[in-house]
Amino acid sequence: MLSASNAHPQKKGDTAVSIHDLSVIYRTTLDKRPTLRNRLLHASRGKKQTRVVHAVSNLSLDIPYGSVLGVVGANGAGKSTLMRTISGILPPTSGRVELFGNVGTLLALGVGFNQEMTGRDNVILGGLAAGLSKSEIESKFDEIVEFAELSEVIDAPMRTYSSGMFSRLAFAVAVSVEPDILIIDEALSTGDAKFKTKSLDRVKELRSHNRALILVSHALATIEEVCNEVIWIHKGKLISRGKPKSVIADYKKFLEVGSSPMIDEDV
Amino acid sequence: MSAPLEVFLPFKGGLPPLRKYLSQLYSRRQFMAAFARSELRRQNYGSAFGQVWLILNPLLLSAVYFLLIVIISGHADKARYGHLTASLFIFYLVTDAIVAGAKSITSGGRLVLNSAFPRLMLPMSAAVVSLFKFLPTLLVLVVFHALLGLPFSWTMLWAIPLIALFFLFALGCAIFFACVNVYFRDAQNLIPYLTRTLLYLSPVLYEASALKSNLQFLKNINPMYPLLDMWSRVMVHAQLPNCTSYIKRCYGLP
Ligand SMILES: Nc1ncnc2c1ncn2[C@@H]1O[C@H](COP(=O)(O)OP(=O)(O)OP(=O)(O)O)[C@@H](O)[C@H]1O
Ligand SMILES: [Mg+2]
C-alpha cells in the first residue's frame, strides 16, 4: 500500500486529497458499555439508547500537492475524525474521499508498540503497522535509531524506556515512512525541547512539491510557522480556509470571545 | 487529472468491499506475523518460565480431570488417560482461540483507532497465537504416549491434517466471537460457560465409543465431535481416522 512512492510522480498543484460532501456520524450507546444485558433490557422498553454525534458534516475540501495544510479547531471539533476518515480508518457515513497518492498517518505515537519487546523489535513492529514492508524497515533501521538518538538502549525492553524515549522512537518510526500524503495529529508536542525542535525540523524537511502534509495542532505558533494554508473546523463544519495569519487571527479572536461572526453566519 | 489511487465511500450494509478487504489482508501478512509473535511474547513474558507454564497448565488440568474420572467411574486405564490428555490439549487450542479472539478487537484500543488495517487480522492472529501455544504441548503428548506404553504407527501422521482442521475451526470461532463481542461487550462473560458446555458435549472426558445410543444425536449437533473422535483414534490408538463414517452420517448415507 505504502511502497513504491515513486510510482505516481506528482506535480505541485495536482490534487492530493479530494473530499466531497463528507459526513461522519458516530453512534454510541448511552450506556457505558454496549452489553447484551442492556440491549435486552431496553429492547423491551422500546427506548432508543443511542446518542448520535455529527463529528464531520457536509465538508468538502481539496488539498493540492506541495501544500502544508494546518488544521485548527476547538476540542471536539472533529479534526481527528476527519483525519481518521482520510486515512481510511473510519468509513464515511456519506460523501466520498479520494486519495491521489499513498497516505501515512501519525495519529498517535507508538501505535502497535509492545512494551515487553526490545526497541529493535518495536521499530519493526511499528513500521509494519504503519504499512512498511520488512525489507523497507531494515534498510531504514539505522537511520531511525540514529534520529531517535537511542542506539545505546535499542536492545533493551521498551518497558525500561522513559515516556520521552518512547515517543522519540515512535516519532522516528512514523516519519521514516515518507508517504505522498502525511497526516500528523498532535504528535509534535512530545519529547523534550531539543527533540521538539528536531521533530519540527524534520517536518519542515518533509515539505516538498511532491508531497502534501496535513498538520493538526493546538500549537498555533507552530502552525503559523510551518503551514502555507490553514483551515478552521468548528463542530464538524469548515468555517474558513486561507492564509495562516488571517485564519489563525480569526480563530484566536473566537477563542477569546467564545463566538465569532463567521460561525454565526454559517451555522 | 489521473484517476484516484484510492476512494473511500460509505460501506454498503455496514460491510467494506470484500475483494479489496481480502487483498489488503493479504498485503498485511508480514504485520500479522510480527503482531502474533509479539503477542505470544507478551503472554509468556517470564521467558523460560512462561514457556514452562504453557506446558504445565494443560498437564495439571488433565491430572485434575483424570482424578474426576477415577472417582466417578471407579477405575481407569492407560488408554483412558492417554485419550484424556490428547483430547484436552487440542480442545484447549480451540477454547483458547475463542477466549483470545473474543477480546482481540475490543482490547485493540489504540491500534484499532489509529491505524488502517483490516480488523480481521486481530482475531486471526489470536488464533495463530493459540496454535503456537498448542504446538509445544504435542511434544508432551508424544512423551506421555511412550510412557503409557501406547502403540506408535505411521498412521499417527494423520494428526497433521487433523491439526489443520482444528485450527480452521478455532479460526472461525475466534472471528465469530470477536464480532459478537464488539456489539455485546458482555458476551465475554458467557464464553466460559459456553466452552465448559462444549467440553462436556465433546468426547474428551469420555471416549466417543462410550456414548449411549440415546445420545448419538450429539454427533450431529457438535462440530467438535467428529474432529475429537478422529483425533483420539489417531493419537491414542494409532488407528486410521474414521472420516468416511462421519461424511456418510452427514449426508444420511448408510
Ligand atoms: N470513538 C468515538 N465514539 C463516539 N464519539 C466520538 C468518538 N470519537 C470522537 N467522538 C466525538 O466526535 C466529536 C469530534 O471528535 P474529534 O476527536 O474528532 O475531535 P478533535 O477535533 O480531534 O478534538 P481534539 O482537539 O480534542 O483532539 C466529539 O464530539 C467527540 O465526542
Ligand atoms: Mg483530536
Side-chain angles (χ1 to χ4, degrees), chain A:
Chain A
M1 271 187 332
L2 283 174
S3 52
S5 53
N6 289 331
H8 319 277
Q10 286 88 21
K11 286 200 303 281
K12 188 177 165 74
D14 277 359
T15 311
V17 182
S18 166
I19 300 166
H20 298 282
D21 205 24
L22 177 74
S23 296
V24 180
I25 295 174
Y26 287 111
R27 274 174 224 284
T28 44
T29 41
L30 280 178
D31 322 309
K32 281 203 196 72
R33 297 167 83 218
T35 61
L36 188 61
R37 186 175 151 266
N38 286 329
R39 211 59 78 85
L40 291 175
L41 281 177
H42 297 305
S44 56
R45 278 187 241 150
K47 235 185 350 182
K48 251 253 173 325
Q49 281 294 312
T50 50
R51 184 176 69 114
V52 175
V53 180
H54 292 260
V56 176
S57 31
N58 303 99
L59 191 139
S60 294
L61 182 68
D62 277 306
I63 304 167
Y65 276 108
S67 72
V68 181
L69 184 76
V71 182
V72 298
N75 291 132
K79 304 181 297 293
S80 299
T81 306
L82 179 63
M83 297 310 131
R84 290 199 176 109
T85 316
I86 297 175
S87 15
I89 297 166
L90 276 178
T93 306
S94 68
R96 62 193 277 142
V97 177
E98 290 175 352
L99 302 177
F100 298 84
N102 44 45
V103 182
T105 50
L106 188 40
L107 299 186
L109 284 174
V111 170
F113 277 17
N114 184 329
Q115 293 280 352
E116 293 304 327
M117 298 178 79
T118 63
R120 182 181 299 273
D121 291 336
N122 273 307
V123 168
I124 295 170
L125 203 56
L128 286 170
L132 289 176
S133 73
K134 213 159 198 166
S135 53
E136 281 173 306
I137 300 166
E138 267 152 24
S139 69
K140 286 177 180 172
F141 187 84
D142 293 333
E143 194 188 320
I144 292 171
V145 175
E146 196 182 319
F147 182 77
E149 298 171 24
L150 290 173
S151 39
E152 282 140 52
V153 291
I154 197 67
D155 285 309
M158 205 78 179
R159 68 186 135 81
T160 63
Y161 285 26
S162 75
S163 63
M165 285 153 82
F166 181 95
S167 347
R168 262 154 58 176
L169 193 62
F171 184 84
V173 170
V175 290
S176 73
V177 177
E178 300 196 346
D180 300 333
I181 302 156
L182 178 63
I183 300 173
I184 302 178
D185 189 350
E186 307 275 4
L188 288 177
S189 43
T190 50
D192 52 23
K194 182 166 152 257
F195 193 75
K196 234 182 250 181
T197 348
K198 192 171 173 180
S199 47
L200 198 59
D201 286 345
R202 183 65 209 254
V203 170
K204 284 180 193 161
E205 256 172 58
L206 286 171
R207 293 184 291 194
S208 73
H209 3 266
N210 54 8
R211 188 169 285 136
L213 288 178
I214 306 175
L215 212 63
V216 180
S217 183
H218 290 287
L220 298 178
T222 310
I223 294 258
E224 201 165 333
E225 186 189 338
V226 182
C227 302
N228 53 25
E229 202 174 18
V230 173
I231 59 169
W232 169 16
I233 294 178
H234 185 72
K235 292 194 172 159
K237 290 200 167 76
L238 186 64
I239 302 298
S240 75
R241 169 179 194 174
K243 287 266 160 290
K245 250 205 176 87
S246 67
V247 176
I248 286 175
D250 288 341
Y251 176 58
K252 272 185 179 157
K253 219 175 284 164
F254 155 76
L255 285 180
E256 275 162 26
V257 186
S259 77
S260 155
M262 305 189 66
I263 289 173
D264 299 337
E265 272 166 34
D266 276 75
V267 177

Side-chain angles (χ1 to χ4, degrees), chain B residues 203-240:
Chain B
V204 173
L205 303 183
Y206 50 89
E207 289 203 55
S209 52
L211 192 69
K212 298 222 168 59
S213 57
N214 57 341
L215 290 176
Q216 289 287 326
F217 70 92
L218 282 182
K219 290 185 178 175
N220 296 345
I221 61 166
N222 178 3
M224 289 277 276
Y225 204 104
L227 286 177
L228 282 164
D229 184 12
M230 287 190 266
W231 175 254
S232 171
R233 274 168 203 266
V234 170
M235 286 298 284
V236 183
H237 304 287
Q239 295 169 351
L240 283 169

Side-chain angles (χ1 to χ4, degrees), chain A residues 8 15 34-37 39 84 86-89 92 95-97 99-100 108-111 114 117 128-129 134, chain B residues 1-2 4-11 28 30-31 34 38 110-116 119 183-186:
Chain A
H8 319 277
T15 311
T35 61
L36 188 61
R37 186 175 151 266
R39 211 59 78 85
R84 290 199 176 109
I86 297 175
S87 15
I89 297 166
R96 62 193 277 142
V97 177
L99 302 177
F100 298 84
L109 284 174
V111 170
N114 184 329
M117 298 178 79
L128 286 170
K134 213 159 198 166
Chain B
M1 201 164 66
S2 59
L5 207 63
E6 186 127 39
V7 181
F8 298 127
L9 291 168
F11 287 173
R28 290 299 213 134
Q30 279 184 333
F31 179 37
S38 85
R110 275 160 52 81
L111 191 63
V112 169
L113 268 181
N114 295 308
S115 49
R119 303 318 185 209
Y183 293 99
F184 309 106
R185 301 293 160 103
D186 54 353

